[in-house]
Amino acid sequence: MPWSLDDALLPPCVELTARPLTGLLWTLLVLFLWYCYRVGSDPPGSGKLKGGSMRSSMSRSSSHVEVEPIGGAAAAKASAAIGLEAGEEEEGAENYLAPVLSCALFPAQAAAGSRKLYVALQEYAKRYSWAGMGRIHKGLRHQAKVNERSSIQKPHLFCLPDVPSVPFFPRDAHRHDIELLEANSPIILSEFQAVYQRGIETKLGWTCQGPKGQAVFPLYNAGVCVAANCRSCPCTYRALLSLRTFIGSNSLGSAGFWLLGPGASLGGAYGPTNTRLRCHLGLLTPLQCELVVGGEPQCWSEGHCLLVDDSFLHIISHNGTSEDGPRVIFSIDLWHPNVAAAERQALDYIFAPEQ
């Protein structure tokens, strides 16, 4: 049967009118404006390189790269170059807040002790993390400058930068530990008297550090527990372990009874670090005894604590007579409240006691 195109069922042609055509033009205009906005908002140089230029730049850079086996000299150079941000740090700059790999080497004029501590810091960072180690890193690098300067505060072993310090700290800095010590002061005094009556001899656990009755009965000596002495003072030992901020895990921390005889004087000394506060619990304190820290004088009081930053120049004197008896304090090293938890953990590792 013959058929024609007129017999086919075709959909009717849509006739474009002026209104749909206008809407299409507006849509294209909006898309064009959006494209111009995106192109204009990209920063200069953020676009991709052309294939030819990228390949040429890669070939130029690869021509100067020397590959070295892992664990060779390159690894040694990389480990020695752990420092602050790239380039030399400016005086007063806050670069230590973000320590990264850089070419800032350890100062050549640093003492052997500081170099040993720096190696310990690198070992700690490899085992754990560099996070939070910026101030410690900067302190080790600048320790030589601290030792050279003339100042009323001069910690000779390690100085942590940007630690607010005053010769005497308020009780609120360690209120919990101070109140615990003061509450236990009667039993601490009674245990000292029992030890004192046995005699001040080296074989009985005492350490004589000078003439005129100056001696120490340590419970912790440079981070090491003196077990025999702790057994002689069990209540004092339990109170010590109940403290929240006692430095008992590194060589910067000690605790014990400090005895100073009449007529004795200790002057012109600096503590080893500004990361600790030395807490003095007065047990026997004659009126003629005085403590001068950073030029500020203070007197002990029986049953009460003093918080001292002994990295300041300090002088201790007992100007009484033999009738006044010795001055006795229970001394405990506590963390400085401005030392963060991560820094305390790192310092425990770096200053681990040598046993």
Side-chain angles (χ1 to χ4, degrees), residues 115-333:
R115 290 183 175 277
K116 182 179 179 181
L117 296 176
Y118 185 75
V119 171
L121 175 62
Q122 288 185 310
E123 294 175 354
Y124 174 85
K126 292 176 183 177
R127 179 174 297 186
Y128 299 101
S129 172
W130 275 104
M133 298 300 103
R135 290 201 301 182
I136 297 178
H137 185 276
K138 184 179 180 181
L140 293 176
R141 288 174 54 82
H142 290 178
Q143 185 61 44
K145 298 179 180 178
V146 174
N147 294 336
E148 292 172 357
R149 73 188 182 190
S150 177
S151 174
I152 198 171
Q153 182 188 20
K154 188 165 62 175
H156 57 82
L157 182 59
F158 173 68
C159 181
L160 188 66
D162 299 334
V163 172
S165 296
V166 291
F168 295 96
F169 271 70
R171 295 169 56 89
D172 291 340
H174 289 303
R175 177 170 294 276
H176 172 272
D177 290 352
I178 286 178
E179 292 179 349
L180 189 149
L181 289 170
E182 292 177 349
N184 287 274
S185 61
I187 187 64
I188 294 175
L189 175 59
S190 65
E191 290 188 339
F192 163 76
Q193 290 173 337
V195 170
Y196 182 66
Q197 290 173 0
R198 296 186 309 188
I200 302 177
E201 298 181 16
T202 304
K203 63 181 181 180
L204 296 177
W206 286 86
T207 302
C208 298
Q209 297 189 341
K212 298 181 180 180
Q214 179 192 350
V216 179
F217 187 79
L219 301 185
Y220 273 78
N221 184 22
V224 179
C225 177
V226 184
N229 291 356
C230 290
R231 284 193 293 267
S232 300
C233 306
C235 294
T236 304
Y237 176 65
R238 285 195 293 269
L240 188 62
L241 296 184
S242 300
L243 303 178
R244 295 176 178 174
T245 57
F246 170 55
I247 305 176
S249 301
N250 68 59
S251 59
L252 300 177
S254 299
F257 298 103
W258 289 66
L259 186 149
L260 187 67
S265 178
L266 306 175
Y270 294 94
T273 180
N274 65 336
T275 61
R276 75 182 188 189
L277 297 181
R278 181 153 281 186
C279 179
H280 291 180
L281 173 63
L283 298 179
L284 299 174
T285 58
L287 295 178
Q288 293 78 12
C289 297
E290 187 179 51
L291 171 65
V292 181
V293 182
E296 298 183 18
Q298 284 283 357
C299 293
W300 294 278
S301 178
E302 294 180 1
H304 297 279
C305 291
L306 282 178
L307 277 180
V308 182
D309 186 344
D310 69 332
S311 63
F312 285 85
L313 182 67
H314 56 277
I315 302 172
I316 302 173
S317 59
H318 184 349
N319 300 318
T321 63
S322 57
E323 298 178 354
D324 297 319
R327 181 233 60 178
V328 181
I329 61 170
F330 183 51
S331 176
I332 314 99
D333 290 330

Side-chain angles (χ1 to χ4, degrees), residues 30-108:
V30 170
L31 292 175
F32 176 76
L33 293 176
W34 176 82
Y35 172 78
C36 294
Y37 168 78
R38 289 298 302 272
V39 173
S41 61
D42 290 337
S46 63
K48 297 181 179 179
L49 294 175
K50 294 182 180 181
S53 60
M54 179 177 294
R55 285 192 296 269
S56 61
S57 62
M58 291 178 63
S59 62
R60 286 194 301 267
S61 61
S62 61
S63 63
H64 297 283
V65 175
E66 296 181 1
V67 180
E68 189 165 343
I70 298 177
K77 293 179 181 178
S79 62
I82 295 178
L84 305 183
E85 293 181 353
E88 290 298 326
E89 49 187 339
E90 298 178 0
E91 187 70 24
E94 302 298 322
N95 292 339
Y96 61 85
L97 294 178
V100 292
L101 291 176
S102 78
C103 57
L105 300 177
F106 198 71

